[in-house]
């Protein structure tokens, strides 16, 4: 007589995933800890302006903070893969928050070189919470279906940071003063990081060692092409922000500069929720190319020079597919990166999108005198991303199916966990 397993895969609904141990804590803590990413640029502009400084200097500081934060991501990811999350993120968040608190003490009318140095250093040492959270999901959620839902929720919620963050910073600066906004930003970074880093999964996380040295080669042709494609996706986002500002100026409707990106982010949020609710056909590679195609098609209506109302209605369409692209990008990294260096690989993905976004903003700003060209830039970025992905398909591997009710052929047994600890895993974010 042959015994058959009657075990069924655990439910992968939103309630089941958020009710899984540590998930709500890690996701919520990471969102709080990353609110400064959306608050710091606005806080700096308002702080410098209130102190009598020029808008050009304020914009330079905001750009410097974002650029320094993005460029340092891969190094922080590599250090995290080598030394664990606690030894990297704890000193990073303490120093970052200290710099933000020090700015009101220095004063916006203080020595520009000192202010610039503090802001630049604060950007360099932003805690790598996003890449760190991505690395934790495989240990917190061994079931692939639940992990897919959690990763989609993770990506989906990121857009909210850049809506809630600027609004909160503006409100604090208006209701209190810009110094208070900076201090509150530092406090939120500390609080969110503490929630995540004090949890057992973060404290005990270690990556898998690849061979005796545990230093597997990171960059492959597939990963380089993937990151290049996602830079094109980021380019579309950066160009969109300038297009929105141009629409606002053209139609004398200041609110359009904020409403259009907000509608896009809302579309991204809704797209992520829809994506995580069910199983979609095809491998991660197929889904990545398909959603990039739909992302490109979503930008094409902008070429018709729509009016304000039509533009607001259309802006959410490409946003529907952004979360899907990024989520499948992270899944592709899982498949291609060595297990000992996946946090670093996640950081390169984050940097690629951010770098593309900065390039899109810069080029769109330089071409802002031509509205027709400006409206075409988001589609150009999306087309570049799709072209690279199609060319890279053989290098991206066969991918894997992300069925919500599939089980791996061999599942590892985990001992019951105490309430205040998480066992040091034998595996990291790789598979």
């Amino acid at each position: 007589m042959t015994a058959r397993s009657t075990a069924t895969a655990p439910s992968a609904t939103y309630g089941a995933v958020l009710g899984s141990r540590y998930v709500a804590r890690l996701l919520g803590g990471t969102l709080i800890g990353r609110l400064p990413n959306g608050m710091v640029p606005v806080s700096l502009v308002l702080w410098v302006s209130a102190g009598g400084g020029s808008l050009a200097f304020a914009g330079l500081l905001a750009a410097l903070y974002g650029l320094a934060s993005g460029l340092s991501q891969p190094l922080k990811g590599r250090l995290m893969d080598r030394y664990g999350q606690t030894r990297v993120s704890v000193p990073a968040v303490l120093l970052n928050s200290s710099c933000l608190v020090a700015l009101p003490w220095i004063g916006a009318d203080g020595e520009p070189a000192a202010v610039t140095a503090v802001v630049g250093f604060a950007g360099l040492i932003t805690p790598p919470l996003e890449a760190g959270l991505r690395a934790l999901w495989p240990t917190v959620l061994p079931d692939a279906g639940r992990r897919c839902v959690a990763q989609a929720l993770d990506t989906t919620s990121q857009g909210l940071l850049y809506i809630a963050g600027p609004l909160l910073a503006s409100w604090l600066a208006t209701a209190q003063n810009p110094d208070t906004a900076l201090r509150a930003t530092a406090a939120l970074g500390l609080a969110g990081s503490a929630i995540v880093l004090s949890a057992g999964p973060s404290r005990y996380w270690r990556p898998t060692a690849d061979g005796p040295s545990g230093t597997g080669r990171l960059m492959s042709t597939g990963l380089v092409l993937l990151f290049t494609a996602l830079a094109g996706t980021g380019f579309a986002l950066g160009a969109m922000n300038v297009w929105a500002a141009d629409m606002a100026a053209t139609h004398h409707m200041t609110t359009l500069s904020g409403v259009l990106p907000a509608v896009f982010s809302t579309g991204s949020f809704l797209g992520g929720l829809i994506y995580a609710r069910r199983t979609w056909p095809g491998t991660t590679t197929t889904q990545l190319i398909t959603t990039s195609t739909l992302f490109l098609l979503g930008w094409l209506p902008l070429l018709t020079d729509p009016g304000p109302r039509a533009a607001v209605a259309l802006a959410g369409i490409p946003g529907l597919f952004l979360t899907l692209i990024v989520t499948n990008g992270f899944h592709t990294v899982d498949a291609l990166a060595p297990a000992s260096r996946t946090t670093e690989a996640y950081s390169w993905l984050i940097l690629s999108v951010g770098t593309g976004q900065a390039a899109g903003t810069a080029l769109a700003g330089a071409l802002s005198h031509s509205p027709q060209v400006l409206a075409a830039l988001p589609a150009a970025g999306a087309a570049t991303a799709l072209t690279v992905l199609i060319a890279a398909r053989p290098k991206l591997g066969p991918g894997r199916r992300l069925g919500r009710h599939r089980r791996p052929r061999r599942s590892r047994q985990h001992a019951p966990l105490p309430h205040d600890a998480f066992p040091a895993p034998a595996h990291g974010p790789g598979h």
Side-chain angles (χ1 to χ4, degrees):
M1 182 179 293
T2 302
R4 293 192 178 187
S5 172
T6 59
T8 58
S11 173
T13 63
Y14 292 135
V17 170
L18 292 173
S20 299
R21 193 177 180 200
Y22 292 114
V23 171
R25 174 177 177 173
L26 292 173
L27 184 58
T30 300
L31 291 176
I32 295 172
R34 292 181 58 223
L35 265 177
N37 292 351
M39 294 177 67
V40 167
V42 174
S43 298
L44 286 174
V45 170
L46 296 175
W47 177 68
V48 171
S49 299
S54 68
L55 190 59
F57 180 56
L60 174 65
L61 291 179
L64 175 63
Y65 184 89
L67 183 63
S69 176
L71 291 177
S72 62
Q73 286 289 331
L75 175 60
K76 290 179 286 193
R78 184 164 190 173
L79 291 174
M80 192 178 287
D81 279 333
R82 181 171 297 182
Y83 299 110
Q85 298 195 356
T86 302
R87 295 173 65 182
V88 175
S89 290
V90 168
V93 70
L94 291 175
L95 290 171
N96 175 267
S97 297
S98 298
C99 287
L100 295 178
V101 171
L103 287 175
W105 179 76
I106 297 173
D109 56 350
E111 181 62 37
V115 173
T116 302
V118 171
V119 169
F121 184 65
L124 285 174
I125 54 176
T126 51
L129 294 177
E130 181 181 358
L133 179 62
R134 290 281 175 176
L136 292 178
W137 287 135
T139 56
V140 175
L141 294 169
D143 175 70
R146 289 193 175 189
R147 187 163 64 248
C148 181
V149 173
Q151 289 171 331
L153 286 173
D154 180 7
T155 305
T156 298
S157 60
Q158 291 181 35
L160 300 178
L161 298 174
Y162 298 97
I163 298 175
L167 289 175
L168 181 57
S170 299
W171 178 77
L172 287 170
T174 303
Q176 300 294 323
N177 53 65
D179 288 355
T180 300
L182 285 172
R183 294 188 184 103
T185 301
L188 286 169
L190 279 173
S193 298
I195 292 171
V196 173
L197 299 175
S198 61
S202 177
R203 288 188 288 120
Y204 291 99
W205 179 85
R206 294 296 183 275
T208 297
D210 291 308
S213 63
T215 55
R217 179 174 176 267
L218 174 60
M219 287 299 177
S220 62
T221 302
L223 279 178
V224 171
L225 291 173
L226 173 67
F227 297 153
T228 302
L230 290 175
T233 302
F235 182 97
L237 304 183
M240 175 198 65
N241 290 327
V242 180
W243 166 75
D246 180 73
M247 285 285 292
T250 300
H251 297 281
H252 307 288
M253 298 176 64
T254 306
T255 55
L256 281 178
S257 61
V259 169
L260 290 170
V263 170
F264 177 89
S265 297
T266 301
S268 178
F269 181 76
L270 294 175
L273 293 180
I274 295 170
Y275 175 75
R277 283 186 62 85
R278 56 160 293 182
T279 301
W280 298 90
T283 63
T284 54
T285 303
T286 301
Q287 290 187 18
L288 185 59
I289 292 175
T290 300
T291 52
S292 293
T293 302
L294 295 172
F295 185 66
L296 168 60
L297 294 176
W299 289 114
L300 296 183
L302 298 185
L303 302 179
T304 63
D305 190 23
R309 292 184 179 180
V312 170
L314 294 170
I317 297 177
L320 288 170
F321 308 104
L322 176 63
T323 295
L324 285 63
I325 294 172
V326 176
T327 298
N328 282 294
F330 277 112
H331 290 320
T332 305
V333 167
D334 283 338
L336 297 180
S340 66
R341 299 180 68 177
T342 43
T343 308
E344 182 183 355
Y346 295 149
S347 301
W348 277 106
L349 188 154
I350 295 166
L351 174 60
S352 298
V353 176
T355 302
Q357 189 168 357
T361 301
L363 183 59
L367 300 175
S368 59
H369 60 277
S370 176
Q372 293 78 15
V373 174
L374 193 60
L377 286 179
T384 301
L386 178 60
T387 302
V388 174
L389 286 173
I390 292 174
R393 184 166 192 162
K395 300 294 185 180
L396 298 180
R400 57 187 176 91
R401 295 186 180 275
L402 297 173
R404 289 172 56 200
H405 304 297
R406 292 179 179 268
R407 274 185 175 274
R409 292 185 178 180
R410 283 184 274 179
S411 58
R412 303 189 182 197
Q413 298 297 321
H414 295 272
L417 304 179
H419 288 289
D420 60 346
F422 197 88
H427 60 290
H431 300 282

